[in-house]
């Protein structure tokens, strides 16, 4: 039960603290959480997202940062979960029709408009590990929205303008959908993992507006924290010498 208690404690603390504190807590508790049945670590990467029905000309590119828990089951099956504490979805270079839909009055000067929505992202994925260190994963993903705004950016020769119109009240608090992905473990044991996954939202982003679903491609890097230290401590306690 101790590992599960540590997991719930970590989830609670991360929701309460900012990303910098999250990294510190991960480094402190990493070796306590890693075991034969659980790999714990940091997840970081990029995602490229858009929202159905918007006419935006470019996907929104954003950095992600969080932590993960990879629970080992039997016969090469795992359950993968965690929290992306810093994750943004949305759309970039909104059109005039998009601005009218969002109730934004265009500014006089030339510039770009971006819808940015910040979520706590929680995947719950069933994962299968092949013997060649490639894996496949699929399952539901949940998002808790905590901030949202349409940002106007203009960069002229002499001045730079940035204006934010906050619209979180028009956006549904909970986002749910399905994720499918694949990746590769760089080393057989205690190594980093690179991966790519696709998320398709099933709930509306905007309140009372059907068809406005999130879509995103995530590129990720998983870094185990404290796995080697935990293994050495176990070997020492069992009297294993190398």
């Amino acid at each position: 039960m101790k590992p599960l208690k540590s997991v719930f404690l970590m989830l609670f603390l991360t929701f309460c603290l900012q990303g910098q504190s999250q990294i510190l807590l991960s480094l402190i508790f990493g070796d306590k959480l890693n075991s034969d049945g659980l790999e714990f670590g940091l997840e970081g990467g990029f995602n490229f997202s858009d929202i159905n029905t918007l006419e935006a000309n470019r996907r929104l590119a954003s950095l992600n940062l969080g932590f993960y828990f990879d629970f080992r089951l039997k016969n090469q099956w795992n359950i993968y979960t965690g929290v992306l504490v810093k994750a943004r979805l949305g759309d970039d270079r909104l059109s005039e029709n998009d601005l009218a839909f969002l109730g934004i009055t265009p500014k006089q000067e030339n510039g770009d408009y971006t819808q940015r929505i910040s979520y706590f992202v929680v995947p719950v994925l069933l994962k299968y590990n092949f013997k060649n260190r490639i894996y496949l994963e699929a399952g539901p993903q949940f998002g808790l929205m905590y901030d949202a705004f349409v940002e106007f950016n203009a960069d002229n020769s002499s001045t730079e303008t940035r204006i934010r119109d906050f619209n979180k009240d028009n956006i549904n608090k909970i986002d749910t959908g399905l994720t499918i992905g694949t990746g590769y473990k760089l080393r057989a044991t205690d190594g980093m993992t690179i991966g790519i996954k696709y998320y398709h939202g099933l709930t509306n982003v905007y309140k009372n507006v059907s068809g406005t679903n999130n879509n995103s491609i995530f590129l990720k890097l998983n870094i185990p924290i404290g796995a080697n230290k935990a293994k050495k401590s176990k070997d020492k306690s069992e009297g294993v010498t190398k």
Side-chain angles (χ1 to χ4, degrees):
M1 293 296 293
K2 288 184 179 179
L4 286 178
K5 290 181 179 178
S6 298
V7 168
F8 291 130
L9 174 62
M10 194 68 185
L11 286 169
F12 175 77
L13 290 174
T14 302
F15 274 111
C16 295
L17 300 172
Q18 296 298 317
Q20 292 85 352
S21 299
Q22 168 213 337
I23 295 175
L24 178 60
L25 286 168
S26 299
L27 294 173
I28 293 173
F29 291 106
D31 60 311
K32 305 297 183 184
L33 294 173
N34 276 284
S35 66
D36 289 340
L38 170 65
E39 179 181 286
F40 164 78
L42 295 176
E43 177 180 329
F46 292 89
N47 75 293
F48 305 89
S49 62
D50 64 14
I51 301 173
N52 287 351
T53 73
L54 294 186
E55 300 175 353
N57 293 323
R58 186 170 67 183
R59 284 177 173 266
L60 175 64
S62 180
L63 284 169
N64 304 309
L65 181 62
F67 63 86
Y68 71 93
F69 300 99
D70 200 356
F71 294 91
R72 299 181 183 94
L73 304 178
K74 294 182 179 180
N75 300 323
Q76 299 168 248
W77 290 97
N78 289 34
I79 293 292
Y80 181 93
T81 187
V83 181
L84 288 178
V85 180
K86 289 185 176 295
R88 274 183 177 168
L89 303 180
D91 234 331
D92 199 7
R93 294 188 179 178
L94 302 176
S95 69
E96 291 185 3
N97 288 336
D98 293 338
L99 296 179
F101 165 72
L102 296 171
I104 303 297
T105 302
K107 310 297 184 290
Q108 294 300 316
E109 51 190 314
N110 294 326
D112 295 322
Y113 293 84
T114 304
Q115 172 71 80
R116 302 182 189 273
I117 309 173
S118 298
Y119 289 96
F120 293 117
V121 174
V122 180
V124 184
L125 309 178
L126 184 62
K127 178 179 175 182
Y128 183 78
N129 302 284
F130 294 95
K131 293 183 179 180
N132 59 3
R133 290 182 284 182
I134 293 175
Y135 70 83
L136 296 176
E137 60 185 2
Q141 179 172 296
F142 308 93
L144 176 64
M145 186 272 297
Y146 62 90
D147 196 16
F149 53 85
V150 175
E151 185 174 80
F152 170 74
N153 282 285
D155 190 2
N156 299 320
S157 58
S158 57
T159 60
E160 180 178 348
T161 304
R162 177 177 296 178
I163 301 173
R164 292 178 174 178
D165 292 301
F166 290 87
N167 64 340
K168 61 182 296 185
D169 291 340
N170 300 327
I171 295 174
N172 286 311
K173 195 79 173 178
I174 303 297
D175 185 66
T176 61
L178 297 175
T179 291
I180 184 170
T182 185
Y184 179 73
K185 197 172 186 67
L186 300 180
R187 293 172 52 189
T189 58
D190 305 328
M192 294 187 297
T193 302
I194 56 175
I196 181 172
K197 59 184 180 180
Y198 172 72
Y199 170 71
H200 177 70
L202 299 177
T203 56
N204 295 320
V205 174
Y206 300 100
K207 295 178 179 178
N208 303 317
V209 183
S210 61
T212 55
N213 308 108
N214 280 314
N215 298 283
S216 187
I217 297 172
F218 289 84
L219 304 177
K220 63 173 184 172
L221 174 67
N222 293 107
I223 305 174
I225 299 297
N228 285 325
K229 184 177 178 182
K231 187 175 185 302
K232 289 178 181 178
S233 297
K234 180 185 176 184
D235 290 343
K236 184 177 179 180
S237 65
E238 295 177 350
V240 177
T241 58
K242 299 195 176 181

